[in-house]
Amino acid sequence: MRRGVGLGNYIAVDSPVHALDPAAKLGIVSAFTVGLFTAGTFPGLTLLAVTVIVGTLAASVPISAALRGVRTVSLILVLTILANALRWEPATVALVRVGPLAVDGEGLASGVFFAVRIVLLVVGTSLLTLTTSPVELAGGIERVFAPLRWLRVPVGDLAMTLTIALRFIPTTVEEADRIMTAQTARGARFDRGGPIARARAYAPVLVPLFFNLFRRADELATAMEARCYRGSDGRTQLRESRMRPADWASLLVAGILLIATGVAL
Amino acid sequence: MIRFESVGFAYPGSGGRSALTRVTLTVEPGELVAVAGANGSGKSTLARLADGLLRPTSGSVTVDGVDTADDERVWDVRSLVGMVFQDPDDQIVGTIVEEDVAFGPGNLGVAPAELRERVDASLAAVGLSALSRREPHLLSEGQKQRVAIAGALAMRPAYLVLDEPTSMLDPGGRRSVLDLIDGLAHREGHGVLHVSHDATGIARADRVIVLESGCVAYDGTPAGLLSDQAMLARAGIALPEIGVLADALRALGARVPEGTMDAESLVGALWP
Amino acid sequence: MALTLTDVAFDYAVGTSLAQPALRGVTFSVAPGECVVVLGPSGSGKTTLLRIAGGLLIPSRGDVTVDGMSRGARRVDPFRGAVGLAFQRPEAQFFAATVGEDVAFGPRNLGNGDGAAAAESALELVGLSPGDFAERSPFTLSGGEARRAALAGILAMSPRYLLLDEPTSGLDAAGHRAVSEAIARARATAGVVVVTHDAAEFLDHADRVLVLQEGAAAFSGSVRDLLADADRLEAGGAWVPPEHVRAQLLARRLGRTTSPPVLDPGEAARILFASGGVT
C-alpha cells in the first residue's frame, strides 16, 4: 500500500488567491519580500502583517497549514529574539537581570521585530505554494522569465523539466525507501563503520535506484513523445495563464504597499 | 484503420536480429484486437510501431492512410493513436490528475476552453471525475492506469494502443479497466489494440493475434485460441481454471461454447 | 518453531492529518514447511503485514516472535537471517555486476564467508544453473529469469521463513510456472507466506489462508473452509473468488447443486455435470 509523502504543500481549493495568475503571485511575493526587508518600523511591519492575514483569509487555507512553516523555524525565532534582547553587563536600561545577563527593552524590541519579519516571510511565501500547484508555479516562472528567450535560454523546456522533477520526487522517495528496506531485509547495514564504509554500504541502494530512474526517464520520454510533446512552443494549458485586470490590480496594490513600507513607514 | 503491411523490425545494435518479421494485421474503428505472446515475443515492439514511436525496418505501417515513416506527418499519427503503457507511473507527467490529462491535448495546442471540456469528458469516461484535483501518486494503481487512459482519450484519438495495461492491477482494478477497454471499442467506436497475456482480457477481444519470436503464429477468434492448448502454450498464456472447467464439462458432453471465460456465461450455458 | 504475529496493529502517519490504521489486530503464524496464502484487495494491509512479519516495521500494538524470540528480549535481532522477504518485483533491486555476486550479497552480510557456495545452491534451487547464470549481468536477464535470480538472493540466506509479495506479477505462463516450482522447492526447508491478489494461483499449495479486508482478518483457516465461506466473503467484498469457483457458487445460488465449491476444475466439472438439468 502506498501512502506517499505530500508533494509540496499545495491545497486544492477554489479561492480568489488560487485564481490569481501565478506570474502575478510571483510578482506580489517578490514585492512583499523586498517590502519586508526595507520596512524599518513597526507600523510598516504591521501593514505587511495585515496584508498576510488578509491574504491567508482570502486563500481559504487552514491557518494551521499557513503556520506549518513557522514551526520549522521556531528555533531560529527564539535565537533571534534572545540574541537581540540579551546583553552582557553593563546594559543601558535593563528590564530583567539574571547574573551577568540582562534583557534590555531596545534589544527585546528589535529581537521581536526581526522575529516577526521572519514569521511574515515564512507565512507569506508559503501562501504562494499553498495556493499554486507546482505545475502552475513552473508555468508562472516560465512566463516571468520569458524575456530570457531572446538570449536563447530554453525557458519553456526548463520549466517542463522542473515540473517533471516535482512530479517524480514522491515516486523517487518511495522507491528509495522500498529498495533500502529490501536490502535491509537482505542483511545490509547502513549504520556501521567509518564514513567510507557507510558510503560504500549505500551502493546496493543507489545503483538500483539510479538504474530504475534512468529506465523510468527513458519510458517517460517515450510516453511524452506518444502524447505529442514537441517542446513548449504552442502548448496550451488547462489553467489559462494570462494577466487579467484582477491580477494587474493585485500587483499594483502590492507595488503601492512596497513603496508605502519602504518610503513612508 | 491501422494497417501493418509485412512489417519487419530490428532494434539498432541487435546485430540484425529481428524483433518482428513480416507482420501483417489491421485494426478497424470499433474493433478490439488483442495481441498475445510470451515475454520477449515482440508485443511491445508492435505496440510502439503502431504509434510511430518506432519505424519499421521493412514493410509499412499506416494509420488512416498516413505512413508512420513520413516525417512530415508523424504528429498526425500520434494524435490519431493514443498510447497507454504498462506502468502508469512511467507516463503520468502532471502533478495533479487533471493537469496530466490536459498534457496531450495541450501539446496539440487545443484552446483552454475546449481543453477543460475534454479533460472533464475524459475523466468522466474513466469514472474519475471526483479525483480530478488529486495528486497522481496518492491514487491506487488501478486509478492511475485509468488516469493514463483518460490522458490518451483527451487527445480524441481514433485508435488506442494499450501495452499490458492490467498486468500490475488487482482483480478489481483489472476488471474495471477491462470493462472500460471493452466499452471504448464497442460503444465509443475506437479501434483498440490491446497487448495482453491475460486470458480474461483476450477473451473479450473481437480478434486475437499471437506473436511468437516476432512472427504471427495465430490470427483468429479468442474462442479458437482458448480452445487450442498447444497454441496457448506458444502464446505464453495460462488457461485459467474456468477454461479448464469448461473444457472438462465439454468432455463430459455438456454444451459449453468455446472461449467461455466467466462464471455467468458458463452457468448460463449449462442451464439456459 | 514458528513465525507468529499476535493481535498486531499498525497505524500509518501517526500524529498527522493523514493518520490511518493499516492493520487492526491480525493474528497468524507459519511453521517451517507450511504455506500460508494471504489474500485481499490492494490497500487491505497485505504488504504492511509482510513488512511487520519480516521485522522491518515495528507494530503499534501486538507481538511478533520468531521461534519464540521477540525483538525486544535479546540484543541479537531474531529476524536477521531467519526471515527472508522478497518485495514486489524484487529484480528492481539488482545492483552487482554479476548474478552470482548479487545473490551472494545476503549471505555475505550475514557473515557467511564470501557467500559463493550459498549463492550457487540458491541458484540451483530456483532452477538457474550457476554455470550459465552466475557470471551474467543481472540486468540482461529475461523477466522470469530475473525474478528467480532475485528470489535466489533471498534463498541464499537460508531463511527458515520466506515471505513473498506478489511473486509472479507481470510474468507470462512460463515465468509463473518456473517461479511456483522454485517456491515449492524452497518449502522443503522454509515456511512460506505468499501475499497475492491472484485469487487462484497458490491456493492448491496452501495449508492455511488469511483474507485481509481494510486491515482486519475477514477470514483465517483452511482452503476447504475458505471455499465453504466464499459466498459471505464475496458478498462482503473481501475476496473475489476465481471464476471457476464463482461458477460453482452461482450454480448453488440457482439451486442447481448443494455441494460446496471445490478448487480442482476437473472435480468441479463432475459435480456440476452430475447435478442434473445440464444441457
Side-chain angles (χ1 to χ4, degrees):
Chain A
M1 176 77 198
R2 294 193 181 178
R3 259 183 208 81
V5 282
L7 179 59
N9 50 4
Y10 176 60
I11 297 177
V13 290
D14 287 316
S15 83
V17 183
H18 284 73
L20 279 179
D21 186 308
K25 280 192 263 191
L26 278 166
I28 294 166
V29 168
S30 311
F32 170 77
T33 309
V34 174
L36 264 182
F37 286 94
T38 49
T41 61
F42 271 107
L45 215 52
T46 310
L47 185 58
L48 290 169
V50 170
T51 318
V52 168
I53 292 167
V54 170
T56 310
L57 293 177
S60 19
V61 293
I63 303 295
S64 62
L67 290 175
R68 194 169 296 147
V70 176
R71 201 161 47 193
T72 51
V73 297
S74 51
L75 185 65
I76 297 175
L77 293 180
V78 172
L79 289 177
T80 305
I81 295 176
L82 288 181
N84 282 285
L86 290 181
R87 301 285 157 97
W88 291 101
E89 286 214 82
T92 40
V93 195
L95 293 174
V96 188
R97 280 174 196 280
V98 184
L101 286 170
V103 173
D104 91 32
E106 212 173 304
L108 185 64
S110 66
V112 169
F113 183 86
F114 289 127
V116 171
R117 181 187 272 176
I118 293 172
V119 170
L120 289 179
L121 181 67
V122 169
V123 177
T125 48
S126 73
L127 263 185
L128 174 68
T129 50
L130 282 167
T131 60
T132 320
S133 81
V135 172
E136 292 177 290
L137 199 53
I141 292 170
E142 179 180 351
R143 285 174 39 250
V144 169
F145 288 100
L148 289 181
R149 280 203 190 135
W150 294 104
L151 301 172
R152 305 201 167 234
V153 177
V155 179
D157 293 327
L158 289 175
M160 190 71 218
T161 311
L162 180 63
T163 310
I164 291 172
L166 290 167
R167 146 79 181 83
F168 276 92
I169 287 170
T171 311
T172 308
V173 168
E174 278 170 26
E175 194 147 291
D177 172 62
R178 194 163 50 233
I179 295 172
M180 200 154 156
T181 316
Q183 304 298 32
T184 308
R186 293 171 75 188
R189 294 274 170 101
F190 302 103
D191 54 353
R192 297 280 166 90
I196 294 172
R198 285 188 192 202
R200 282 178 62 104
Y202 274 95
V205 175
L206 295 177
V207 173
L209 185 65
F210 278 97
F211 182 82
N212 294 342
L213 273 180
F214 285 127
R215 186 198 54 76
R216 221 182 255 292
D218 195 42
E219 294 283 314
L220 185 73
T222 308
M224 286 172 68
E225 207 183 325
R227 296 174 78 181
C228 296
Y229 180 69
R230 277 169 281 185
S232 56
D233 290 344
R235 270 197 74 208
T236 49
Q237 295 201 352
L238 196 55
R239 260 155 247 282
E240 195 178 6
S241 292
R242 193 185 301 141
M243 296 287 280
R244 282 156 305 176
D247 298 311
W248 288 116
S250 313
L251 209 52
L252 187 67
V253 172
I256 293 169
L257 278 175
L258 172 61
I259 295 164
T261 51
V263 180
L265 296 170
Chain B
M1 74 181 117
I2 301 181
R3 179 193 285 276
F4 278 58
E5 198 65 61
S6 194
V7 169
F9 182 81
Y11 281 96
S14 63
R17 214 181 68 83
S18 344
L20 287 181
T21 315
R22 285 207 296 279
V23 171
T24 297
L25 64 90
T26 58
V27 182
E28 308 263 6
E31 191 184 22
L32 175 52
V33 177
V35 177
N39 291 349
S41 60
K43 303 190 297 287
S44 296
T45 307
L46 188 141
R48 283 163 165 72
L49 280 160
D51 192 25
L53 289 167
L54 296 175
R55 293 171 188 197
T57 17
S58 62
S60 70
V61 179
T62 56
V63 180
D64 286 348
V66 182
D67 195 321
T68 60
D70 185 346
D71 281 325
E72 305 277 299
R73 304 196 59 187
V74 66
W75 299 109
D76 295 343
V77 170
R78 287 187 192 150
S79 57
L80 274 170
V81 182
M83 281 285 285
V84 177
F85 298 87
Q86 183 173 12
D87 186 349
D89 267 331
D90 293 348
Q91 58 194 311
I92 293 176
V93 182
T95 48
I96 301 285
V97 166
E98 60 178 19
E99 281 170 354
D100 182 71
V101 175
F103 180 74
N107 287 332
L108 299 176
V110 168
E114 194 194 333
L115 203 53
R116 164 55 62 191
E117 185 201 321
R118 286 195 186 193
V119 166
D120 291 347
S122 308
L123 281 171
V126 301
L128 286 182
S129 301
L131 302 179
S132 63
R133 304 289 289 271
R134 282 284 180 90
E135 293 170 30
H137 68 102
L138 298 175
L139 303 178
S140 76
E141 293 297 315
Q143 289 167 337
K144 276 192 237 178
Q145 196 55 284
R146 285 188 279 155
V147 170
I149 295 175
L153 289 178
M155 296 174 74
R156 300 264 158 95
Y159 305 93
L160 282 169
V161 175
L162 307 129
D163 189 2
E164 301 198 36
T166 62
S167 73
M168 303 184 83
L169 310 183
D170 70 2
R174 186 176 305 162
R175 189 172 297 183
S176 80
V177 169
L178 287 179
D179 286 343
L180 177 60
I181 293 172
D182 205 332
L184 288 172
H186 298 135
R187 276 199 308 278
E188 309 293 327
H190 293 278
V192 180
L193 192 70
H194 177 198
V195 175
S196 170
H197 54 226
D198 165 43
T200 349
I202 289 163
R204 293 188 172 204
D206 301 310
R207 207 149 53 80
V208 192
I209 285 151
V210 172
L211 288 180
E212 188 180 32
S213 319
C215 300
V216 174
Y218 177 92
D219 184 346
T221 62
L225 171 64
L226 294 166
S227 60
D228 183 345
Q229 291 290 343
M231 187 52 73
L232 277 175
R234 287 167 68 188
I237 299 169
L239 186 63
E241 284 79 357
I242 182 88
V244 182
L245 172 60
D247 284 350
L249 282 165
R250 265 192 298 276
L252 289 167
R255 261 182 286 163
V256 179
E258 302 277 1
T260 302
M261 277 295 137
D262 67 280
E264 283 76 11
S265 347
L266 181 88
V267 172
L270 287 176
W271 296 284
Chain C
M1 294 232 297
L3 171 62
T4 307
L5 278 71
T6 314
D7 194 24
V8 163
F10 189 82
D11 304 309
Y12 267 106
V14 176
T16 74
S17 55
L18 292 169
Q20 47 187 320
L23 282 179
R24 319 158 190 255
V26 174
T27 297
F28 97 104
S29 79
V30 57
E34 275 188 327
C35 177
V36 178
V37 170
V38 181
L39 300 169
S42 25
S44 57
K46 302 192 299 290
T47 301
T48 307
L49 183 77
L50 216 56
R51 284 187 177 217
I52 290 174
L56 297 167
L57 273 184
I58 311 286
S60 333
R61 188 185 83 215
D63 289 319
V64 187
T65 59
V66 183
D67 299 336
M69 290 185 289
S70 61
R71 184 190 291 281
R74 295 158 161 265
R75 285 193 57 195
V76 182
D77 181 351
F79 293 93
R80 202 171 156 80
V83 184
L85 171 60
F87 286 116
Q88 261 189 73
R89 305 199 166 234
E91 60 275 21
Q93 279 112 45
F94 286 136
F95 69 95
T98 68
V99 171
E101 234 178 280
D102 207 287
V103 175
F105 179 66
R108 217 171 47 225
N109 285 329
L110 298 179
N112 191 353
D114 66 355
E120 267 195 27
S121 54
L123 282 171
E124 295 275 8
L125 194 63
V126 297
L128 297 175
S129 131
D132 295 338
F133 286 94
E135 294 304 314
R136 279 181 63 180
S137 159
F139 300 103
T140 62
L141 303 178
S142 77
E145 291 164 356
R147 185 69 52 85
R148 283 183 284 158
L151 289 180
I154 309 294
L155 290 169
M157 299 189 289
S158 318
R160 294 194 293 285
Y161 305 98
L162 181 61
L163 315 178
L164 305 167
D165 195 355
E166 303 286 355
T168 55
S169 73
L171 299 182
D172 62 7
H176 271 257
R177 215 165 26 245
V179 169
S180 323
E181 282 165 10
I183 294 172
R185 280 195 290 275
R187 207 177 144 187
T189 54
V192 178
V193 178
V194 183
V195 159
T196 178
H197 54 226
D198 188 315
E201 187 162 23
F202 295 98
L203 283 184
D204 42 356
H205 300 295
D207 294 301
R208 262 170 299 120
V209 181
L210 175 69
V211 180
L212 287 182
Q213 185 178 26
E214 287 169 17
F219 172 87
S220 175
S222 68
V223 175
R224 176 196 291 267
D225 292 341
L226 171 77
L227 292 170
D229 208 6
D231 262 324
R232 176 185 72 89
L233 293 170
E234 190 187 17
W239 186 43
V240 182
E243 284 299 307
H244 73 299
V245 172
R246 282 191 56 234
Q248 300 170 64
L249 294 174
L250 270 175
R252 199 167 59 171
R253 253 173 256 156
L254 294 170
R256 298 293 179 180
T257 170
T258 50
S259 328
V262 295
L263 211 52
D264 178 60
E267 199 186 333
R270 283 189 292 281
I271 293 172
L272 289 180
F273 194 72
S275 50
V278 171
T279 56

